[in-house]
Amino acid sequence: MFHNMKKSRKIMLIILMVVVFIISSILSVSQHIKSLEKDNIIGRYQEGSDTASDALYKKATDFGAEAIIVPGAAILSDKTPSPVLRARLDVAVDLYDKNVARKILLTGDGDNSQDYYDEISSMLAYIKGKGIPDEDIFCDHKGYSIFESMVRAKQVFGIDRAIVVSQTFHLPRAVYIGQKMDMKTRGIASDQVWPKEIHRGILRDENRKLILREIMARNKDFFILKFKKIPNLMDEKIDINGDGTRTHTIAK
């Protein structure tokens, strides 16, 4: 009996060590991506601010991006952007108005497979309402994830230099994928909403889930890129320097 207990403890110890190793590896990959892209996240819009510093505008302008990429996020039941998505769009509009880039690429779930959920239509209506010219807005209706969005930005829209706008927690992965796609990529954080919620613990459980999902997603995309499992898209090519109007709706 004593021998069996000793054997069971040994097995439990081995299992524990394996679990600790797996968790440590997952966290290490996540931290690696954050550390690697730290310097490529060139600034942030802070809580309650609709503008950035002159230094950020200059740094962003000097980078010479062809487009500002805005990844999709949740929309509300009235089909308007959620606060998180609205923050991203507001930053993109401000950067456009400051001549940081001549084009905006909206990318998200917008293929109308679900009539009640269309991120792209919501995003498009919002920034058109801010006065952005139709021809300078491009829409990618098949950006179902940030991985697909960044791959398509390079392969479909031919972007070589881009600024991605999203919240701080999300940017390292977006920038990392862009860089791995040979697309010079910089990130600007739209943190007008999230810092207050995270700092004060509001929606704490949801924030934990969000961060955990992002950690796992970093690992997934890291290994996809490491083993070069990048799809070679056969979609029609769209010139990001042209007229974006024809991308506003899906061709039937």
Side-chain angles (χ1 to χ4, degrees):
M1 182 176 178
F2 176 76
H3 176 73
N4 289 338
M5 288 179 62
K6 191 173 181 180
K7 186 177 180 180
S8 297
R9 286 176 183 170
K10 186 176 180 180
I11 292 172
M12 290 299 295
L13 180 60
I14 292 172
I15 293 172
L16 179 61
M17 289 174 65
V18 170
V19 170
V20 169
F21 174 77
I22 292 172
I23 293 173
S24 297
S25 298
I26 290 171
L27 293 176
S28 293
V29 168
S30 177
Q31 187 58 44
H32 168 69
I33 291 175
K34 284 181 66 177
S35 299
L36 190 65
E37 303 304 340
K38 181 180 178 182
D39 292 340
N40 288 328
I41 298 173
I42 59 176
R44 60 188 287 260
Y45 284 61
Q46 300 185 48
E47 178 189 346
S49 175
D50 293 327
T51 58
S53 66
D54 290 340
L56 174 55
Y57 291 135
K58 185 178 188 310
K59 189 183 293 185
T61 303
D62 289 348
F63 176 64
E66 296 166 88
I68 301 159
I69 299 176
V70 186
I75 58 174
L76 304 178
S77 57
D78 63 358
K79 299 185 179 181
T80 60
S82 64
V84 169
L85 181 53
R86 192 164 60 245
R88 297 177 187 181
L89 294 166
D90 285 342
V91 169
V93 169
D94 185 53
L95 293 174
Y96 176 91
D97 287 342
K98 297 298 192 300
N99 298 313
V100 167
R102 293 175 52 248
K103 304 293 182 178
I104 296 176
L105 173 61
L106 307 176
T107 175
D109 185 349
D111 68 355
N112 296 315
S113 59
Q114 302 178 86
D115 292 337
Y116 63 88
Y117 191 82
D118 182 352
E119 291 173 357
I120 293 298
S121 293
S122 175
M123 296 164 75
L124 179 61
Y126 186 84
I127 69 166
K128 284 175 71 173
K130 296 289 184 177
I132 306 296
D134 284 14
E135 61 269 22
D136 289 342
I137 308 169
F138 285 74
C139 297
D140 183 3
H141 303 262
K142 296 181 180 180
Y144 308 122
S145 69
I146 193 60
F147 183 86
E148 290 164 300
S149 293
M150 299 307 289
V151 170
R152 290 176 60 79
K154 176 66 176 181
Q155 292 191 11
V156 176
F157 293 88
I159 300 174
D160 291 318
R161 302 180 76 87
I163 286 176
V164 184
V165 174
S166 189
Q167 281 71 31
T168 293
F169 78 92
H170 191 226
L171 275 178
R173 182 161 59 104
V175 175
Y176 178 77
I177 297 166
Q179 296 281 86
K180 288 295 183 179
M181 290 299 301
D182 293 326
M183 179 169 60
K184 297 294 184 185
T185 311
R186 299 293 181 267
I188 294 179
S190 52
D191 285 343
Q192 306 97 303
V193 175
W194 284 97
K196 176 180 177 182
E197 294 179 352
I198 291 174
H199 178 69
R200 297 184 183 177
I202 300 172
L203 300 177
R204 187 178 296 132
D205 290 341
E206 287 302 313
N207 286 327
R208 285 173 180 163
K209 291 177 186 176
L210 187 68
I211 299 303
L212 179 59
R213 280 202 304 270
E214 185 59 25
I215 288 172
M216 299 307 294
R218 285 175 194 155
N219 276 261
K220 173 182 67 70
D221 292 344
F222 172 82
F223 285 106
I224 288 174
L225 292 164
K226 182 176 179 62
F227 293 106
K228 302 189 183 303
K229 299 295 184 180
I230 303 169
N232 185 17
L233 302 176
M234 303 303 292
D235 298 47
E236 178 188 358
K237 307 306 180 190
I238 299 169
D239 182 6
I240 195 66
N241 296 305
D243 187 342
T245 307
R246 71 186 184 94
T247 68
H248 293 184
T249 57
I250 302 174
K252 302 297 183 183

